Amino acid sequence: MRHFKHVGLSAATGLAALLFCSHPASAATGSGGDSYPPREEVFQLVAKQTQGTFVDVDGSSGPSQGDEFVITGNLFRASVAVGTYSQICTLTRTAPMDEFDLQCAADLALPLGQITVEGRFTVTAAGPGNIDLAITGGTGRYRTAQGFVHADNVSNTETTITVHLIR
């Protein structure tokens, strides 16, 4: 169970996740105006977990369907704090025993609004594979947000997130 929690927290941190590393942040924008074609903005964030809890819903000794990871932390861009994030990941599949699926919902709270993210990914004994989650919407500047985020775990508590934002 200890290995499961360790891998699971690391994978869940990688989600909404979703955003992190000590590399300098980069931004790129596509051509176009405010209307058509849509504008894509790509930038990196580093998510550093400050709290994380594993919720074992049935009290069993191993992973079971419905168990959850609840995680929150701070977002950084070029080593400067720029916001916070929250995420909840639910185990949806736990077989075979060294593999499970997580369905995650997360929000990135930034100075000009929030970006919401959702999706599913598989975690194996080797760790999570590609973690690509859909941007499902947002508030403020991000109220028309679409696109996806890609997360790479740097450690158990830090994740590099590349945001591909289409507005």
Side-chain angles (χ1 to χ4, degrees), residues 84-104:
T84 60
Y85 73 95
S86 299
Q87 68 184 38
I88 299 174
C89 295
T90 303
L91 275 82
T92 58
R93 184 181 62 86
T94 59
M97 209 41 142
D98 63 345
E99 182 176 299
F100 57 92
D101 289 347
L102 290 173
Q103 173 69 34
C104 299

Side-chain angles (χ1 to χ4, degrees), residues 76-152:
F76 295 85
R77 189 167 184 181
S79 302
V80 175
V82 295
T84 60
Y85 73 95
S86 299
Q87 68 184 38
I88 299 174
C89 295
T90 303
L91 275 82
T92 58
R93 184 181 62 86
T94 59
M97 209 41 142
D98 63 345
E99 182 176 299
F100 57 92
D101 289 347
L102 290 173
Q103 173 69 34
C104 299
D107 69 86
L108 311 174
L110 300 168
L112 299 177
Q114 293 182 21
I115 298 171
T116 56
V117 180
E118 187 173 356
R120 181 184 65 85
F121 59 94
T122 299
V123 179
T124 66
N130 283 332
I131 301 174
D132 291 317
L133 304 171
I135 294 175
T136 56
T139 65
R141 176 178 179 239
Y142 311 109
R143 70 186 175 281
T144 60
Q146 298 177 31
F148 72 99
V149 297
H150 176 81
D152 290 307

